[in-house]
Amino acid sequence: MTLIRSLLFVVWMYGLVLVMGLVGIWLLLCPRSWVRAYYRLWLALVFGGLKVICGLRYKVEGLENIPEGGALIASKHQSMMETQAFWQILPDPAIILKKELAYLPFFGWFAVKLGNIVVDRGAAAKALRKMLGDARRWAGDGRQILIFPEGTRMAPFETDEFKPGVAGLYSAMKAPCVPVALNTGHFWAGRGVIRKPGVATIRFLEPIAPGLPREDFMALLKQRIDTATAELEAGLETKR
């Protein structure tokens, strides 16, 4: 039954991408605020369908830890669920995306229009300079810059070393960094179609003040994210 519900949801989600992408493609010529409102409508329909079809939703903890104005949000990454959820949780995030995603029909086009930051990993130093410049510009406009420090989705209970880009952003932005822990991968598979019923948790942790040395920042960020993620995952195992 879980597989059938999951497949129905996949049809629902990507069907919405196709239909709303075609209907709203003209919005790519309009102000970004119009696209943001349209994208939030798509998200409401997606997460509404997720709850009805699969019995899955998410809850948010620690919203009081998000500072006013520009900030760096560094999150654990386990599934597509949080990538979309952040656009519901945060007022106007700019997400660090790999260049390949920008070419996806509709999804990629709208992602670029929304002002997300596209990074060409193959361009090395040039890509890093562009990412830092875009991040400083958007943060100056009061937007939150969202990065997944491990650089890719990790399976539940797995972790990896953080990529240097998050340290570069922290140093360049001179803004607080908010770590984020989550357990979404236990419900929404990072790869595959399975969506299990339940309540996933996205937890914003205590901000790290700007100005720490690079090594201290990286160690503290990893410790906070890994520890809180392990707590969330252990809580799920206890309930089972």
Side-chain angles (χ1 to χ4, degrees):
M1 183 60 73
T2 298
L3 177 59
I4 294 174
R5 289 176 180 270
S6 299
L7 289 171
L8 286 174
F9 171 72
V10 170
V11 172
W12 168 253
M13 182 175 69
Y14 287 105
L16 284 172
V17 170
L18 178 60
V19 173
M20 294 187 67
L22 288 171
V23 171
I25 195 169
W26 60 276
L27 288 169
L28 295 175
L29 302 175
C30 298
R32 192 175 66 87
S33 59
W34 293 23
V35 177
R36 187 169 69 238
Y38 192 66
Y39 186 61
R40 288 183 183 274
L41 171 61
W42 178 79
L43 288 174
L45 293 171
V46 167
F47 282 108
L50 184 66
K51 182 177 180 180
V52 171
I53 299 170
C54 298
L56 173 57
R57 61 184 179 87
Y58 69 86
K59 67 176 181 178
V60 183
E61 298 176 351
L63 283 175
E64 68 277 5
N65 289 320
I66 304 174
E68 293 284 341
L72 176 61
I73 311 293
S75 176
K76 183 74 176 179
H77 191 19
Q78 292 185 343
S79 80
M80 186 181 177
M81 186 178 195
E82 62 268 13
T83 308
Q84 305 304 326
F86 280 120
W87 268 97
Q88 284 192 319
I89 300 167
L90 300 171
D92 192 17
I95 303 176
I96 308 294
L97 298 175
K98 58 185 179 181
K99 183 179 179 180
E100 293 80 2
L101 295 177
Y103 296 127
L104 293 177
F106 303 121
F107 178 84
W109 306 338
F110 279 89
V112 172
K113 180 66 178 182
L114 285 167
N116 291 300
I117 300 172
V118 178
V119 176
D120 182 0
R121 294 178 178 176
K126 180 180 178 182
L128 180 60
R129 287 195 299 270
K130 182 180 184 304
M131 179 183 74
L132 297 179
D134 289 344
R136 282 193 295 264
R137 177 165 58 91
W138 285 129
D141 289 341
R143 297 182 67 184
Q144 296 87 20
I145 309 303
L146 173 65
I147 188 171
F148 301 114
E150 289 166 315
T152 189
R153 288 172 293 190
M154 305 299 297
F157 303 112
E158 288 188 358
T159 186
D160 198 0
E161 294 301 314
F162 287 180
K163 302 297 186 288
V166 66
L169 286 169
Y170 172 76
S171 177
M173 290 173 59
K174 296 178 172 54
C177 175
V178 182
V180 182
L182 44 79
N183 58 15
T184 54
H186 291 262
F187 302 93
W188 182 315
R191 292 171 177 79
V193 300
I194 296 299
R195 315 286 187 261
K196 298 178 182 178
V199 182
T201 300
I202 299 174
R203 179 183 294 172
F204 291 82
L205 307 173
E206 180 183 353
I208 299 173
L212 288 180
R214 178 189 181 97
E215 294 77 11
D216 294 346
F217 165 71
M218 291 289 274
L220 181 58
L221 179 65
K222 184 168 178 57
Q223 183 269 328
R224 287 190 181 177
I225 292 178
D226 286 354
T227 299
T229 296
E231 289 175 356
L232 291 174
E233 293 180 324
L236 288 176
E237 291 299 301
T238 302
K239 294 177 182 179
R240 290 173 181 171

